[in-house]
Amino acid sequence: MRIYVSKEGDTLSGISKKYGFELNDLLTLNPHIPSPEINIPGINVNFPPFKRPIADQISVPVCPFDPSSEEMLEHWIPLTSLEQMAETDYDVIIVGTGAGGGAVLRRLCERWRNNGKRIGIIERGSLLLPTHVRNIPTMNNARFGPYFRGVSKWIGKSLPEFPGARELFALGGRTLFWGMSAPRMDVSEMTGWPVTEKEMDFYYKIAEQVMDVSNGYTKGSSFQENILNRLRYNGFPEAADVPTPADLVPTNYGQIHSDVFWSSISALAYGLNRKSFDLAVNARAVEVLVEKGKTAGIKVMSLDKKPYFLKAKTVVLSGNTFETPRLLLHSGIQGRAIGHYLTNHSFLLSTVKVSRKQFPEVLGPMSVMIPQTQSRPYQIQMGGPEGYLWYQRYEQEPLQDELSIGISAFGKVESRFENQVYLDPYKRDEYGVPEIQVQFSYSEKDKAIINQMASALTQVVSAMGASFHTTDSHPPICLMPPGSDYHESVTCRMGDDPSTSATNRYGQIHGVSGLYAADNSILPSIGAANPTLTTVALSVRVADYISNQLK
Ligand SMILES: Cc1cc2nc3c(=O)[nH]c(=O)nc-3n(C[C@H](O)[C@H](O)[C@H](O)COP(=O)(O)OP(=O)(O)OC[C@H]3O[C@@H](n4cnc5c(N)ncnc54)[C@H](O)[C@@H]3O)c2cc1C
């Protein structure tokens, strides 16, 4: 109990008003004071432990406050447990949250809004990052590679013919780390596709909008202008800006634009604000459930290997080029082309230097490409200065006198039946699913393109006024091992003929109603362009088809 020593002029009644105590409480605790109205200078007054409720003392209403009943959200995106998902009948379940899965979800949420349809999406990995890694203030060029290697899985270790391959299991998939070159495929590449050029143009426009793709990222950079001009005047008139998915709108008027570089987390965010969906992470699809030719759902396992059966009329597999055929094959789904026609790019790397003295003081980033054309079956891309194509405003490394430029050249690889992903009959993973194995080789035509591309790369370097940077361990131009472009595609390609394609022209697995694929695996071919923009375009198209079917 607290004691107050009263002053001249104090009365118990006055103390009660001044300090907010009930007068009766004061009288009970202070029997030595005979009356509440008498002057009591220098007397010990016992105070009650609690004051009167504040509502009695002021005229402003008190806000309701009950900490125990406040709603809690434990993560930066709402999650649903697998137990709960197993109780729900879904209209659509999407497997995987990378480029393909994110695009399907975004489009379905946009089209369906509050029409009562139930969407579930499951992700094998965890909540690794809430945005593309380059949007994170602590990330820089030097930390990027080691971090990606640290969090991804080098599956190429056990794939002798595809040793460069890596998978990333996390919400957002590999779009958390991708390099964000988002060109369209050359129209010559689409000959023979089951989607017309006109329709592709329509869906490319949507994909570019979805991903904020533009040529604005390098706008105003004198380095960009300079290199473009050099290339255009020295034999490469088609040299162009690399289309880049970057939100270049500044944060203003309370609207935050912090996810500059696109990842499929942006697609999830867009969807979330238009329609609610159930998302489970650490949830690995292990089998597609099909009854009498119709999709019934998906078997999923949690991290502790507990099985759950999720019911859905429609399942969209967006696990990636390795995982989608793996699930189909493991589920006993028949199809001559499933897993076949594995296509990537042959991949040349080079680093070149240019003297900074050749350029005006105001530089800026440079990201330029020489695109594939009908007569040029490869794409050459260059970006720099090293460490400054993108960087955080907190970084403080001075530019060197010699500017370093990285060059990547991607060669077209034929989509051949014999290049394939198949189930390893001897090895299973910790979920009991057979491991994959890859059979891959370059054809004579592929090899000829690699040689052609290497000599073109030398011409490009000379046209830029640059010189090769060679060290004892690094030749001027080197061929990266298969799989290290991370562009592998086509293993469930779209087509009309079930003997040469795994899905029909809308991404539906031939012969199984309600079962779709939407990721790099459905691309009919990839030519020499980076594949992701096309994957997003075709995945949006798959979503449109599903949404029309389930009207
Ligand atoms: C470093 C790097 C740079 C790149 N640069 C470019 C570039 O500049 N331009 C370009 O076009 N492409 C680039 N790519 C490739 C690009 O990331 C891929 O083309 C694209 O992400 C493929 O999309 P996807 O949906 O097929 O697969 P992913 O994005 O890999 O997504 C698959 C998702 O499915 C999940 N999943 C897998 N199996 C299961 C399962 N059984 N159950 C539940 N979930 C599952 C995975 O965890 C993952 O989240 C780059 C990739 C990397 C790694």
Side-chain angles (χ1 to χ4, degrees), residues 51 64 91 114 136 193 212 242 302 347 392 401 455 518 522:
K51 289 184 179 179
D91 292 284
N114 296 320
I136 295 177
W193 279 26
D212 289 315
V242 174
S302 56
F347 180 17
Q392 296 291 336
D401 286 342
S455 64
I522 60 169

Side-chain angles (χ1 to χ4, degrees), residues 94-102 122-126 144 148 166-183 264 283-286 300 318-321 323-324 326-327 381 410 485-489 518-521 529-535 539:
I94 303 161
V95 175
T97 59
I122 56 163
E123 168 51 52
R124 172 177 176 166
S126 61
F144 176 90
F148 176 60
R166 268 183 191 274
E167 283 184 307
L168 178 74
F169 302 124
L171 191 78
R174 286 181 299 177
T175 67
L176 297 177
F177 287 85
W178 74 306
M180 286 167 303
S181 303
S264 71
R284 188 204 196 292
V286 291
V300 181
S318 301
N320 76 33
T321 291
E323 193 67 16
T324 292
R326 182 184 186 188
L327 276 171
Q381 235 178 279
F410 299 125
D485 57 331
Y486 309 133
H487 291 169
E488 68 285 337
S489 302
D519 53 20
N520 279 12
S521 74
N530 321 57
T532 310
L533 179 78
T534 310
T535 294
S539 300

Side-chain angles (χ1 to χ4, degrees), residues 351-426:
T351 304
V352 299
K353 302 262 182 193
V354 282
S355 165
R356 197 174 155 201
K357 294 194 185 81
Q358 297 178 20
F359 298 93
E361 198 49 41
V362 184
L363 274 168
M366 184 273 292
S367 180
V368 166
M369 64 188 274
I370 294 158
Q372 177 189 2
T373 59
Q374 189 144 23
S375 57
R376 184 191 296 120
Y378 51 84
Q379 172 187 296
I380 300 181
Q381 235 178 279
M382 52 227 87
E386 191 190 0
Y388 285 91
L389 175 55
W390 62 275
Y391 64 100
Q392 296 291 336
R393 61 197 167 107
Y394 310 105
E395 292 179 48
Q396 287 192 341
E397 277 178 44
L399 274 181
Q400 306 298 316
D401 286 342
E402 291 231 286
L403 303 176
S404 197
I405 298 172
I407 306 188
S408 310
F410 299 125
K412 179 177 162 74
V413 167
E414 287 185 288
S415 298
R416 290 180 299 133
F417 184 80
E418 52 268 43
N419 283 344
Q420 60 171 308
V421 170
Y422 62 97
L423 299 183
D424 187 323
Y426 306 109

Side-chain angles (χ1 to χ4, degrees), residues 176-252:
L176 297 177
F177 287 85
W178 74 306
M180 286 167 303
S181 303
R184 294 183 177 197
M185 285 194 193
D186 185 58
V187 287
S188 64
E189 195 53 44
M190 294 172 207
T191 314
W193 279 26
V195 187
T196 62
E197 197 188 312
K198 194 169 163 210
E199 210 190 338
M200 274 315 293
D201 180 57
F202 175 80
Y203 279 103
Y204 269 136
K205 282 186 184 135
I206 295 176
E208 283 157 354
Q209 206 178 22
V210 164
M211 300 164 84
D212 289 315
V213 176
S214 77
N215 290 343
Y217 184 65
T218 47
K219 209 176 173 70
S221 157
S222 60
F223 195 28
Q224 175 84 358
E225 287 306 311
N226 232 292
I227 295 289
L228 269 176
N229 287 338
R230 288 178 185 199
L231 287 166
R232 285 174 182 161
Y233 289 119
N234 291 308
F236 296 95
E238 307 90 349
D241 303 312
V242 174
T244 305
D247 174 15
L248 302 171
V249 177
T251 292
N252 214 341

Side-chain angles (χ1 to χ4, degrees), residues 94-338:
I94 303 161
V95 175
T97 59
V104 170
L105 179 85
R106 185 191 191 279
R107 187 64 165 177
L108 288 179
C109 290
E110 181 177 40
R111 291 198 55 164
W112 280 350
R113 308 269 168 151
N114 296 320
N115 68 352
K117 301 268 189 233
R118 304 294 309 257
I119 306 177
I121 180 162
I122 56 163
E123 168 51 52
R124 172 177 176 166
S126 61
L127 301 180
L128 180 69
L129 294 176
T131 185
H132 190 283
V133 70
R134 288 188 188 179
N135 299 328
I136 295 177
T138 53
M139 191 45 62
N140 69 7
N141 203 40
R143 292 178 202 119
F144 176 90
Y147 182 47
F148 176 60
R149 287 191 289 278
V151 295
S152 59
K153 187 176 174 200
W154 178 33
I155 57 165
K157 195 176 176 181
S158 49
L159 305 176
E161 296 184 8
F162 218 67
R166 268 183 191 274
E167 283 184 307
L168 178 74
F169 302 124
L171 191 78
R174 286 181 299 177
T175 67
L176 297 177
F177 287 85
W178 74 306
M180 286 167 303
S181 303
R184 294 183 177 197
M185 285 194 193
D186 185 58
V187 287
S188 64
E189 195 53 44
M190 294 172 207
T191 314
W193 279 26
V195 187
T196 62
E197 197 188 312
K198 194 169 163 210
E199 210 190 338
M200 274 315 293
D201 180 57
F202 175 80
Y203 279 103
Y204 269 136
K205 282 186 184 135
I206 295 176
E208 283 157 354
Q209 206 178 22
V210 164
M211 300 164 84
D212 289 315
V213 176
S214 77
N215 290 343
Y217 184 65
T218 47
K219 209 176 173 70
S221 157
S222 60
F223 195 28
Q224 175 84 358
E225 287 306 311
N226 232 292
I227 295 289
L228 269 176
N229 287 338
R230 288 178 185 199
L231 287 166
R232 285 174 182 161
Y233 289 119
N234 291 308
F236 296 95
E238 307 90 349
D241 303 312
V242 174
T244 305
D247 174 15
L248 302 171
V249 177
T251 292
N252 214 341
Y253 300 119
Q255 191 182 50
I256 297 169
H257 291 258
S258 60
D259 55 340
V260 179
F261 295 116
W262 187 86
S263 72
S264 71
I265 305 289
S266 310
L268 299 184
Y270 181 96
L272 194 61
N273 286 290
R274 275 147 191 86
K275 178 176 182 62
S276 67
F277 55 82
D278 293 342
L279 163 69
V281 294
N282 297 315
R284 188 204 196 292
V286 291
E287 198 182 332
V288 183
L289 307 171
V290 176
E291 285 163 11
K292 296 184 186 143
K294 278 191 178 164
T295 303
I298 192 110
K299 181 179 170 190
V300 181
M301 284 173 110
S302 56
L303 270 185
D304 58 2
K305 316 294 176 302
K306 202 169 158 202
Y308 295 86
F309 296 90
L310 309 188
K311 296 183 281 296
K313 295 184 196 72
T314 301
V315 168
V316 183
L317 300 177
S318 301
N320 76 33
T321 291
F322 301 118
E323 193 67 16
T324 292
R326 182 184 186 188
L327 276 171
L328 291 169
L329 293 169
H330 178 54
S331 308
I333 289 160
Q334 307 292 320
R336 179 178 177 269
I338 295 174

